[in-house]
Amino acid sequence: MNVTQVLSQTEICQSCTIRNRAICADLHADEIVLLNSIGRHRTLTAGEQLLWEGEDAVLVGNVVEGLLKLSTGTSEGREQIVGLAYPGDFVGRPFGGTDPYGVEALAETRMCVFRRQDFDAFAREHPRLEHKLLERTLTELDRTRRWMLLLGRMDAEQKLATFLLDMVERLSGAPGLNPELTGGNTVPAFALPIGRQQIADVLGLTIETVSRHFTRLKKDGILDLPSRREVAILDRAALQDRAG
Amino acid sequence: MNVTQVLSQTEICQSCTIRNRAICADLHADEIVLLNSIGRHRTLTAGEQLLWEGEDAVLVGNVVEGLLKLSTGTSEGREQIVGLAYPGDFVGRPFGGTDPYGVEALAETRMCVFRRQDFDAFAREHPRLEHKLLERTLTELDRTRRWMLLLGRMDAEQKLATFLLDMVERLSGAPGLNPELTGGNTVPAFALPIGRQQIADVLGLTIETVSRHFTRLKKDGILDLPSRREVAILDRAALQDRAG
DNA sequence: CGACTCTTTGAGTTGCTTCAAAAGCGGTGG
DNA sequence: CCACCGCTTTTGAAGCAACTCAAAGAGTCG
């Protein structure tokens, strides 16, 4: 490996859009170079599957841009989305034998992936990285447990309202998005990254129920739905009320 | 600190019943001594609350013996149990500001607790501990996400059947319990550590629905219910079928 | 302009919840 | 030992939210 390569590899991470939000945030320059040498970039097309539930865990990685869904299903074929991975999020199962759920791209997604073995070895030698990963995993566990309250104890309207508020919050953290998404009582129209069926799969509902409640929230003047893939929040306070 | 103290402190952990299952498992003798010096033992009575949702995270710890519930509730007062902590499990929120859910003892519970600040500092200096905690957190996240499938996509019978099978598996990992709990197609009567209402709060159901399905499974010859707090599985295969 | 997919709307059914009351169990004291 | 009390669990009846099944409407793409 010559110096030019090293520099250019460093550059790749330095200019990375998620450099400060992903688990690599606290690494030193020399560590970044090392990590870069075991990783590679990969682009998934919408609908492409990255990991399969129950298969050997061979890959882990960071989402750079795009959106992934993590999901499992019952034997009868009902699907439950157990998480969405936005830019900066880590996916895959380090230190484990098999991937516990499937991972599929919902939109064209750029990633930074590692062979799991390589990543595990690197992580064990770099406590700063393990620490970041631990913090991220703890946060994700908290978020997942909060979602259990939604799945177990909320009615359809509360679920949908909570989902929309959560999505706005998540999207406004992403780069290049309107910071107005967080301000006042109305939120300008933004693009929903997923369709009705997948919203249903996140909320543990059917597509019909999701659709009916979208319609109701629109009729009640809380939402506007300029197109199927766009939502505007006309009255955030009212939506928060509906979220319970 | 004199040698006698050190030895006796080491002894405490060495004889600990969860020594090989908790996050301290991989620590060296000298690390154990240090960890011991910042921890203390505490016994909770049944019903006693250890942590409150939304409060400053001041404590973390390991369950040595007993059972804790982790739970949140909606503003309307509906409760959702988001996890149960058995012996060997870690509870509390390291590296974070506030406890994301309440923690309460369901039975008399012995714990080994640490001030969160002390624990955080210790963990950062001992990567082996952080690694164990990371592995445990990853496993817990997997378990929690599998539970989302239950909450979002299963009907009441599937939920109860899955719960019972899961509980038998968890209990049989605990010390001093009949190893027969894992063997064949029938499982001898064992004590349910929680009542019907709490089972309902785990499964996202009402107590009446839980009770009805217990009765149905008994009528169908799959379970026996010698008393309210005891269950025997007469036909594990059938129960697994019902779990979906 | 059709063919396809996704979404919305409608009608009817079901399973879980709610509300109410009875039954079971454990503990305490007469 | 039994009677009584409080608490948990079971059972019953009625209501309703979400589901299923079915079809029409909207949007997208060749």
Side-chain angles (χ1 to χ4, degrees):
Chain A
M1 188 187 286
N2 64 42
V3 174
T4 310
Q5 270 188 310
V6 169
L7 285 176
S8 92
Q9 286 188 331
T10 306
E11 215 99 44
I12 291 172
C13 287
Q14 293 299 359
S15 67
C16 176
T17 50
I18 58 160
R19 176 72 175 81
N20 295 310
R21 291 189 295 141
I23 53 170
C24 28
D26 285 356
L27 295 180
H28 296 160
D30 56 331
E31 291 176 313
I32 282 283
V33 173
L34 266 170
L35 186 61
N36 214 339
S37 72
I38 60 169
R40 60 190 189 79
H41 291 271
R42 179 162 167 188
T43 299
L44 304 170
T45 58
E48 190 176 352
Q49 188 113 6
L50 177 69
L51 305 174
W52 284 261
E53 180 175 0
E55 297 283 301
D56 279 3
V58 293
L59 281 182
V60 299
N62 287 302
V63 177
V64 176
E65 193 185 4
L67 184 65
L68 302 176
K69 72 169 182 186
L70 322 181
S71 64
T72 20
T74 65
S75 48
E76 298 108 319
R78 296 160 66 73
E79 182 178 8
Q80 177 66 49
I81 294 180
V82 298
L84 295 174
Y86 294 83
D89 287 346
F90 181 87
V91 298
R93 182 56 164 93
F95 315 118
T98 58
D99 284 312
Y101 27 78
V103 176
E104 184 186 319
L106 293 174
E108 176 157 318
T109 300
R110 287 193 302 117
M111 299 195 63
C112 166
V113 299
F114 307 89
R115 282 180 46 223
R116 205 211 77 212
Q117 278 187 315
D118 296 342
F119 181 85
D120 284 4
F122 183 90
R124 282 186 168 280
E125 286 169 14
H126 298 271
R128 247 190 312 276
L129 181 86
E130 275 214 331
H131 182 78
K132 268 288 167 198
L133 185 55
L134 175 56
E135 289 203 335
R136 186 169 277 279
T137 308
L138 285 166
T139 302
E140 194 55 36
L141 181 57
D142 288 346
R143 176 190 294 282
T144 304
R145 283 178 163 156
R146 249 181 288 126
W147 216 250
M148 290 176 80
L149 178 64
L150 176 143
L151 291 174
R153 292 299 186 204
M154 288 186 184
D155 64 25
E157 184 171 79
Q158 292 177 311
K159 285 179 176 182
L160 183 57
T162 303
F163 168 79
L164 289 170
L165 292 166
D166 184 82
M167 166 137 289
V168 167
E169 194 185 327
R170 285 261 215 153
L171 288 175
S172 62
L177 260 148
N178 199 332
E180 289 173 28
L181 291 187
T182 43
N185 195 46
T186 75
V187 179
F190 60 96
L192 274 182
I194 62 179
R196 299 289 187 270
Q197 179 60 59
Q198 270 146 352
I199 294 175
D201 290 337
V202 169
L203 301 179
L205 298 170
T206 58
I207 186 174
E208 295 95 331
T209 300
V210 170
S211 177
R212 281 185 238 275
H213 285 277
F214 260 116
T215 305
R216 183 178 304 177
L217 288 172
K218 180 178 178 176
K219 275 186 185 142
D220 293 351
I222 294 173
L223 298 182
D224 190 27
L225 304 168
S227 77
R228 347 172 143 182
R229 283 300 187 108
E230 283 179 300
V231 194
I233 298 174
L234 304 178
D235 188 347
R236 187 200 293 250
L239 192 58
Q240 265 154 353
D241 276 355
R242 304 281 177 118
Chain B
M1 188 189 286
N2 64 43
V3 175
T4 309
Q5 272 187 309
V6 169
L7 284 176
S8 91
Q9 285 187 330
T10 308
E11 214 99 43
I12 292 171
C13 287
Q14 293 300 357
S15 67
C16 177
T17 50
I18 57 160
R19 175 72 174 83
N20 295 311
R21 291 189 296 140
I23 53 170
C24 27
D26 285 355
L27 294 180
H28 296 160
D30 57 330
E31 291 176 313
I32 283 282
V33 173
L34 265 169
L35 184 61
N36 213 341
S37 73
I38 60 168
R40 61 190 188 79
H41 291 271
R42 179 163 168 188
T43 300
L44 305 170
T45 58
E48 191 175 350
Q49 188 112 6
L50 178 70
L51 304 174
W52 284 260
E53 180 176 359
E55 297 282 301
D56 279 2
V58 293
L59 282 181
V60 300
N62 287 300
V63 178
V64 176
E65 194 186 2
L67 184 64
L68 302 176
K69 72 169 182 188
L70 322 181
S71 65
T72 20
T74 64
S75 49
E76 297 108 317
R78 297 161 65 75
E79 183 178 8
Q80 177 66 48
I81 294 180
V82 298
L84 295 175
Y86 293 83
D89 286 346
F90 181 87
V91 298
R93 182 56 163 93
F95 316 117
T98 58
D99 285 310
Y101 27 77
V103 176
E104 183 187 319
L106 294 174
E108 177 156 318
T109 300
R110 287 193 301 118
M111 300 196 61
C112 166
V113 299
F114 308 89
R115 281 179 46 221
R116 205 210 76 211
Q117 278 187 314
D118 296 343
F119 181 86
D120 283 4
F122 183 90
R124 280 185 169 281
E125 286 169 14
H126 298 271
R128 248 190 311 276
L129 182 87
E130 275 214 332
H131 182 78
K132 269 286 167 198
L133 185 56
L134 175 56
E135 289 203 336
R136 185 169 280 279
T137 308
L138 286 165
T139 303
E140 193 56 35
L141 181 57
D142 290 346
R143 177 191 295 282
T144 303
R145 282 179 163 156
R146 250 181 287 126
W147 216 249
M148 291 176 79
L149 178 65
L150 175 143
L151 290 174
R153 291 300 186 202
M154 288 186 185
D155 64 24
E157 184 171 77
Q158 293 177 308
K159 285 180 176 181
L160 183 57
T162 303
F163 169 79
L164 288 171
L165 292 166
D166 184 81
M167 167 135 292
V168 166
E169 194 186 327
R170 285 261 214 152
L171 288 176
S172 62
L177 260 148
N178 198 332
E180 289 173 27
L181 290 186
T182 42
N185 195 46
T186 74
V187 179
F190 60 96
L192 274 182
I194 61 179
R196 299 287 187 270
Q197 179 60 60
Q198 272 148 351
I199 294 175
D201 290 338
V202 170
L203 301 179
L205 297 170
T206 58
I207 185 175
E208 296 94 331
T209 301
V210 170
S211 177
R212 281 184 238 276
H213 284 278
F214 260 116
T215 306
R216 183 177 304 176
L217 289 172
K218 181 179 177 174
K219 276 188 183 140
D220 293 351
I222 293 173
L223 297 182
D224 190 27
L225 304 168
S227 77
R228 347 172 140 182
R229 284 301 187 106
E230 283 179 300
V231 194
I233 297 173
L234 304 178
D235 188 347
R236 187 201 294 251
L239 192 59
Q240 265 153 353
D241 276 355
R242 304 280 178 119

